[in-house]
Amino acid sequence: KLQLITWNVHESVLDNMQPLIDPTKVQPDIVAFGFQEVKLEIRTADPWVKAMSNHLSKYDYTFVKEEHMKGGSLIMVFAKNTLPKQMTNIQTSWKKTGLGGIWGNKGAVSVSFEYGGRTIALVSSHLAAHMEKLDDRVGDYKKIVSDMDFKRGKLLDHDLVFWMGDLNFRIDDLPIDSVVQMIKKANEGDSLVKRKVVEDLLVKDQLKRVQRENRAFVDFKEGQPDFMPTYKFIVGTDNYKSGERKPAYTDRVLYKIKDTPDGSPMVTLRQDLYAAITQIKMSDHKPVTAIFHVDI
């Protein structure tokens, strides 16, 4: 069982990790965190790594690996104490895409390993921001796929890739007021109303669009979100800052499974959860978590 959590932390520091992850509820074998806009310390271990290690050690998890870029991207991987011996050939990689590839405020960090004879990559990325920068987001994706190197090859050479992050894809066409009213309708309605609103918003979602157009994240799959857009909130509240930005599904978790020569998937995967962690209010983004069962 694998749990992924992506969050643009907005340079905040979370004092209590329990709302972000409570291992007693899910009991994942591996947990990976992908954070963006982290205020990284220059000469000391990152406080997020220390804090999460202290929190998860109480539940018999051990720190496996981290990678970060100056500019704010961080990925951390933890595993049940009995598991790291089965995770071999652990590697990390990163790719800067900010300011033409010289700054790490945008780009991706990754941890790669072998488990059960299969290669797995966990990626956290922060793609170009702003509504009108769709082509830049697609360009960032292509640079990460083509330039992120591992000893075993490129990113998409892995048997299984999990890609999370603040992908910054926005909602096309619909005016801000319409999106806000749709969200209000969903929050006041029952589960069927909520599901219909999510479907209507995702029809205009830029990530879905570039997948349909074969421009980016081709062959990646995504579970159906059952949550409202995770950006942009007034910090400390559950209220959207809709006068400044249109609410959007910027924070996502996707996966890609390589096929065997006969066309069957190399692993069997089931997604059990895809949700926003709405009680955390320290950022203008809500964290998003996904839980997978992977049979290897």
Side-chain angles (χ1 to χ4, degrees), residues 30-277:
I30 298 173
V31 185
F33 302 88
F35 292 155
Q36 306 83 42
E37 294 191 17
V38 176
K39 191 174 182 180
L40 294 167
E41 300 293 334
I42 302 300
R43 298 182 181 276
T44 60
D46 178 72
W48 281 98
V49 176
K50 285 184 176 180
M52 196 59 71
S53 295
N54 291 338
H55 173 63
L56 290 178
S57 65
K58 296 181 290 187
Y59 302 97
D60 298 324
Y61 287 84
T62 188
F63 171 70
V64 176
K65 199 73 173 176
E66 66 90 14
E67 184 59 273
H68 65 270
M69 294 190 300
K70 183 179 178 181
S73 290
L74 168 68
I75 189 169
M76 304 179 289
V77 179
F78 296 82
K80 276 289 192 180
N81 287 342
T82 56
L83 203 64
K85 292 180 180 179
Q86 303 173 54
M87 299 169 67
T88 60
N89 294 322
I90 300 171
Q91 306 169 34
T92 66
S93 187
W94 51 266
K95 172 61 182 176
K96 298 177 182 178
T97 61
L99 293 176
I102 63 174
W103 186 240
N105 65 320
K106 297 295 186 290
V109 286
S110 179
V111 174
S112 165
F113 58 92
E114 293 182 23
Y115 182 84
R118 298 301 186 193
T119 58
I120 300 172
L122 308 174
V123 188
S124 174
S125 71
H126 194 186
L127 306 185
H130 304 302
M131 181 77 187
E132 70 277 8
K133 298 291 186 180
L134 177 58
D135 289 344
D136 290 351
R137 285 187 275 284
V138 172
D140 286 352
Y141 166 82
K142 290 180 178 178
K143 290 172 187 174
I144 292 164
V145 167
S146 65
D147 295 351
M148 185 172 272
D149 292 316
F150 303 86
K151 292 179 181 178
R152 58 177 56 94
K154 299 292 184 180
L155 178 61
L156 299 187
D157 291 332
H158 290 79
D159 299 328
L160 179 59
V161 178
F162 290 99
W163 193 314
M164 58 182 163
D166 178 1
L167 306 187
N168 256 322
F169 290 105
R170 307 306 169 99
I171 294 174
D172 282 331
D173 301 333
L174 298 172
I176 291 177
D177 290 346
S178 295
V179 174
V180 171
Q181 287 303 313
M182 291 170 71
I183 294 170
K184 182 179 179 182
K185 179 181 177 181
N187 289 335
E188 294 175 350
D190 58 20
S191 59
L192 292 177
V193 171
K194 181 179 179 181
R195 186 179 305 122
K196 181 64 166 60
V197 169
V198 171
E199 291 173 353
D200 290 345
L201 290 173
L202 289 176
V203 167
K204 299 297 185 179
D205 174 68
Q206 289 182 341
L207 173 57
K208 299 298 187 186
R209 171 184 162 189
V210 297
Q211 287 185 299
R212 289 193 301 268
E213 295 172 351
N214 292 324
R215 297 175 63 194
F217 292 98
V218 178
D219 296 329
F220 275 85
K221 299 183 184 302
E222 181 184 24
Q224 177 72 6
D226 65 350
F227 50 89
M228 291 298 104
T230 52
Y231 173 84
K232 175 179 175 122
F233 289 88
I234 299 171
V235 175
T237 77
D238 289 323
N239 302 318
Y240 289 98
K241 202 170 185 177
S242 54
E244 183 177 322
R245 293 281 191 276
K246 187 192 300 185
Y249 288 100
T250 54
D251 310 281
R252 314 289 275 267
V253 180
L254 302 96
Y255 63 92
K256 182 180 183 297
I257 304 172
K258 185 187 288 187
D259 287 338
T260 63
D262 66 5
S264 60
M266 284 194 168
V267 302
T268 302
L269 181 148
R270 183 183 80 242
Q271 185 165 354
D272 288 344
L273 180 71
Y274 194 23
I277 306 174

